[in-house]
């Protein structure tokens, strides 16, 4: 096949792709707030959630963030987004992977979950990030039923992003968009320290 034929073939193929995409775009007519779940073992869940918040803030939308882990860690996103008027709620005790005190953790989780319920009832908030919420549900610190109810009753145009490993099946089922970030490799596994500005 000569180059001209190749170019012709490529053009025809692209035209077909375009037609398919155009048809899908035309078919997508529903407008509603979305529920996104970003899960999996690879790096990129929280950064994806925060990227969406940055995107929404850039459009002048009203956003809020609740972080269920790393309460005492410094975090670049908070430094930036709070300056731009994004409400932040973090778990007071700085829950970590090592915590052994279930009672104290449940209490701390419940305090921030109350703030989340308030956010989910607030029509003026367009996009909410619940960073690492999945663990609260898996550990039973926050009742799955309460999460489902609050999400189902939220304002119709409000979008919610939930991040964290091991998202509960129910959350995956009710979400509109679910992405699983796969770990291919991570610097930490070869002994590299978490880096400011990249890892936190
Ligand atoms: P990020 O905040 O960078 O998007 P994440 O939210 O996907 O990461 P978490 O499970 O919340 O991942 O872990 C938070 C921290 O752990 C980050 O510093 C991240 O770089 C690191 N991390 C994420 N995935 C891995 C992994 N597969 N192995 C080692 N460390 C990881
Ligand atoms: Mg994370």
């Amino acid at each position: 096949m000569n180059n001209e034929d190749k170019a012709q073939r490529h053009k025809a193929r692209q035209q077909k792709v375009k037609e398919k995409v155009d048809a899908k775009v035309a078919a997508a007519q529903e407008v509603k707030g979305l529920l996104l779940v970003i899960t999996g073992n690879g790096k990129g869940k929280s950064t994806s959630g925060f990227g969406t918040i940055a995107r929404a803030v850039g459009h002048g939308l009203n956003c809020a963030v609740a972080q269920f882990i790393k309460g005492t860690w410094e975090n670049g996103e908070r430094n930036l987004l709070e300056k731009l008027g994004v409400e932040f709620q973090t778990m007071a005790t700085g829950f970590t992977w090592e915590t052994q005190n279930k009672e104290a953790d449940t209490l701390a989780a419940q305090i921030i979950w109350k703030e989340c319920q308030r956010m989910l009832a607030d029509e003026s908030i367009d996009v909410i990030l619940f960073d690492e919420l999945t663990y609260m549900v898996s550990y039973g610190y926050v009742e799955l039923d309460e999460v489902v109810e609050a999400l189902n009753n939220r304002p119709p145009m409000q979008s919610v992003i939930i991040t964290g490993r091991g998202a509960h099946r129910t959350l995956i089922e009710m979400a509109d968009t679910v992405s699983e970030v796969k770990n291919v490799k991570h610097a930490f596994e070869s002994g590299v320290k978490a880096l400011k500005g990249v890892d936190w």
Side-chain angles (χ1 to χ4, degrees), residues 2-176:
N2 65 31
N3 279 344
E4 204 171 303
D5 287 344
K6 271 188 194 160
Q8 207 57 40
R9 261 201 171 181
H10 177 75
K11 203 175 162 195
R13 219 167 24 224
Q14 287 310 105
Q15 180 60 29
K16 267 197 191 142
V17 172
K18 184 180 166 355
E19 278 164 20
K20 271 194 190 155
V21 173
D22 286 350
K24 276 194 185 152
V25 170
Q29 288 296 333
E30 198 183 351
V31 180
K32 62 166 194 168
L34 298 170
L35 176 61
L36 283 77
V37 170
I38 318 283
T39 191
N41 294 331
K43 170 178 163 59
K45 301 174 290 295
S46 296
T47 41
S48 166
F50 280 111
T52 308
I53 293 294
R55 178 178 276 181
V57 169
H59 283 294
L61 299 181
N62 190 18
C63 300
V65 176
Q67 284 189 296
F68 285 88
I69 268 179
K70 312 176 208 169
T72 57
W73 293 16
E74 203 197 337
N75 123 17
E77 296 91 338
R78 181 175 188 158
N79 297 345
L80 175 75
L81 293 168
E82 260 188 344
K83 280 187 210 148
L84 299 171
V86 175
E87 178 191 348
F88 262 77
Q89 296 290 339
T90 35
M91 235 163 108
T93 60
F95 171 91
T96 65
W97 317 97
E98 305 97 52
T99 21
Q100 301 290 331
N101 190 339
K102 186 162 184 191
E103 230 168 276
D105 284 344
T106 306
L107 211 67
Q110 284 297 318
I111 292 170
I112 178 171
W113 172 239
K114 287 277 168 302
E115 300 295 336
C116 296
Q117 286 172 309
R118 183 205 12 103
M119 291 171 184
L120 288 167
D122 185 345
E123 253 185 45
S124 77
I125 306 179
D126 302 300
V127 186
I128 311 176
L129 169 61
F130 292 149
D131 191 30
E132 325 291 355
L133 174 67
T134 57
Y135 305 100
M136 301 300 106
V137 174
S138 325
Y139 298 163
Y141 297 167
V142 174
E143 286 292 329
L144 174 68
D145 289 352
E146 281 187 26
V147 176
V148 170
E149 194 190 321
L151 287 171
N152 280 335
N153 293 328
R154 75 188 196 276
M157 281 311 294
Q158 187 181 74
S159 292
V160 177
I161 309 147
I162 295 172
T163 76
R165 297 176 194 208
H168 194 284
R169 181 168 34 89
T170 304
L171 294 176
I172 289 177
E173 274 163 18
M174 69 189 290
D176 301 287

